[in-house]
Amino acid sequence: MANEAPVYGGQALLEGVMFGGKDHTVTAVRRNDDSIEYFYAKKTKKPIYQKLKKIPFLRGVIALIESSGLGAKHLQFASERYDIDPGEEEDNQEEASKLQMILGVAVVGVISFLFAKFVFTLVPVFLAELFSPWISGKYPQIFLETFFKLILLLSYLYIISMTPLIKRVFQYHGAEHKVINCYEAGLDITVENVQKQSRLHYRCGSSFILFTVVIGMFVYFFFPTDPLWLRVVIRILLIPVVLGISFEVLQATNAVREIPVLKYLGYPGLWLQLLTTKEPKDEMVEVAIASFNKLHEVEKNPDLSMQLHHD
């Protein structure tokens, strides 16, 4: 496949998949009557964001904020549609939270992302501090903090993966990866070809989450851990730094994935995806393919987006 081929990303949703290209994003959701419904959102390109996204290490933070806000719109659409009969959407939309109505779905998505990052960053700090009478010192504390962060992350992912609803989301996550792998392999996008592909992918957000844990540990080595209040403040201030570096590492591991030896740099992230993806059923792959194909249609003819549900 030519190097100039467009790069696509995606997101698993409730009974659906979102795919995004350079300018457009499309979601396909399986409804109760077995039909597939689509949602479209155009990627907004604010001038200030475009300038910041050209700056290494800072561009990752901007990209994450944008994707969190945009992804929230698609997630809301899927959550409003997947489990209700066609025609009942209006009643369901009236139950939207007051917070979403006041702040907007995109803002809520960003806030949710930041809140989760704060929790997974600070809880391990306090857990490590509880062991300070027995395990003290800067480096032992940082190692212990990282250990708790990994345990917290893996336990959380394992527990939620056991629930039927999230298990299905993880199956759609696998379908999303398989479609992208099939596309990048230059094969026809059919259910048969897609199902033959790996459900793991180097650019996955799951890999990024793991990188933030490892990169965070090395970054923390350069800062004090005592007293506790200073440690907490430093961890909060370093969140964008860790995110920015982790984004660059993720991009680098994807760039060298075809190079012997270097390809193993991305393996820990792939191993984590064994938790966050599941093998999809054929009907799930059909939804992912429908989303991918619809995105291609919109890219060729943007006017088609007006025929889809949109924000």
Side-chain angles (χ1 to χ4, degrees):
M1 187 174 61
N3 292 331
E4 63 270 14
V7 175
Y8 294 99
Q11 179 179 332
L13 306 167
L14 298 168
E15 297 301 327
V17 174
M18 179 271 280
F19 279 110
K22 181 181 179 181
D23 300 307
H24 311 278
T25 59
V26 172
T27 278
V29 175
R30 178 82 73 180
R31 301 298 302 276
N32 274 350
D33 62 351
D34 208 36
S35 64
I36 294 178
E37 194 166 5
Y38 300 94
F39 174 81
Y40 167 83
K42 184 176 178 62
K43 288 187 174 181
T44 56
K45 296 187 176 181
K46 298 179 180 179
I48 182 64
Y49 280 5
Q50 296 309 303
K51 292 180 180 179
L52 293 176
K53 287 172 71 173
K54 295 179 181 179
I55 303 175
F57 301 105
L58 185 57
R59 60 187 176 186
V61 177
I62 301 302
L64 286 169
I65 292 175
E66 283 188 323
S67 62
S68 296
L70 188 61
K73 296 179 181 179
H74 289 271
L75 180 59
Q76 184 189 43
F77 175 81
S79 64
E80 289 175 349
R81 303 279 174 159
Y82 84 98
D83 66 342
I84 59 175
D85 295 325
E88 297 180 356
E89 293 88 353
E90 294 301 324
D91 292 336
N92 188 65
Q93 288 177 352
E94 293 177 359
E95 299 174 2
S97 70
K98 292 183 179 179
L99 180 61
Q100 287 182 340
M101 289 188 288
I102 295 173
L103 297 179
V105 178
V107 176
V108 172
V110 173
I111 292 175
S112 299
F113 167 76
L114 293 176
F115 176 76
K117 184 57 185 171
F118 270 58
V119 171
F120 277 93
T121 297
L122 297 183
V123 169
V125 171
F126 292 109
L127 290 175
E129 178 66 18
L130 291 177
F131 286 81
S132 59
W134 305 279
I135 304 177
S136 60
K138 176 180 177 180
Y139 296 107
Q141 272 288 297
I142 291 175
F143 283 124
L144 187 61
E145 178 184 337
T146 303
F147 171 76
F148 281 128
K149 193 175 295 185
L150 282 173
I151 293 298
L152 185 63
L153 173 63
L154 295 176
S155 298
Y156 170 75
L157 291 175
Y158 177 75
I159 291 172
I160 66 172
S161 71
M162 301 294 287
T163 64
L165 181 63
I166 300 302
K167 180 180 179 181
R168 288 187 66 83
V169 172
F170 285 177
Q171 285 180 288
Y172 277 104
H173 191 188
E176 172 223 325
H177 284 182
K178 282 173 174 277
V179 168
I180 292 181
N181 283 329
C182 189
Y183 163 77
E184 293 181 344
L187 301 174
D188 291 335
I189 310 297
T190 65
V191 173
E192 183 180 4
N193 285 342
V194 168
Q195 284 287 38
K196 292 178 182 177
Q197 306 304 309
S198 170
R199 74 178 199 259
L200 313 179
H201 197 283
Y202 274 80
R203 288 198 311 272
C204 177
S206 302
S207 298
F208 172 78
I209 294 173
L210 184 62
F211 284 138
T212 63
V213 176
V214 178
I215 297 299
M217 180 182 70
F218 288 105
V219 171
Y220 299 157
F221 285 159
F222 296 94
F223 297 89
T225 55
D226 292 315
L228 179 61
W229 70 266
L230 180 60
R231 184 175 180 179
V232 170
V233 171
I234 288 175
R235 294 298 184 267
I236 294 174
L237 295 177
L238 286 177
I239 286 177
V241 176
V242 173
L243 291 176
I245 297 176
S246 299
F247 181 84
E248 300 299 330
V249 172
L250 179 66
Q251 297 295 96
T253 58
N254 180 64
V256 302
R257 62 177 176 170
E258 302 297 335
I259 302 177
V261 180
L262 293 181
K263 67 179 183 180
Y264 297 110
L265 293 174
Y267 272 37
L270 297 179
W271 293 335
L272 184 62
Q273 291 175 42
L274 294 175
L275 274 179
T276 62
T277 65
K278 303 293 182 184
E279 286 294 335
K281 299 177 181 178
D282 285 352
E283 55 266 30
M284 296 175 173
V285 170
E286 289 174 356
V287 174
I289 292 176
S291 176
F292 195 71
N293 288 341
K294 186 64 69 174
L295 174 61
H296 277 191
E297 292 178 20
V298 171
E299 287 180 326
K300 294 177 182 177
N301 184 6
D303 290 339
L304 290 176
S305 64
M306 300 306 297
Q307 302 175 13
L308 310 178
H309 295 278
H310 55 273
D311 61 340

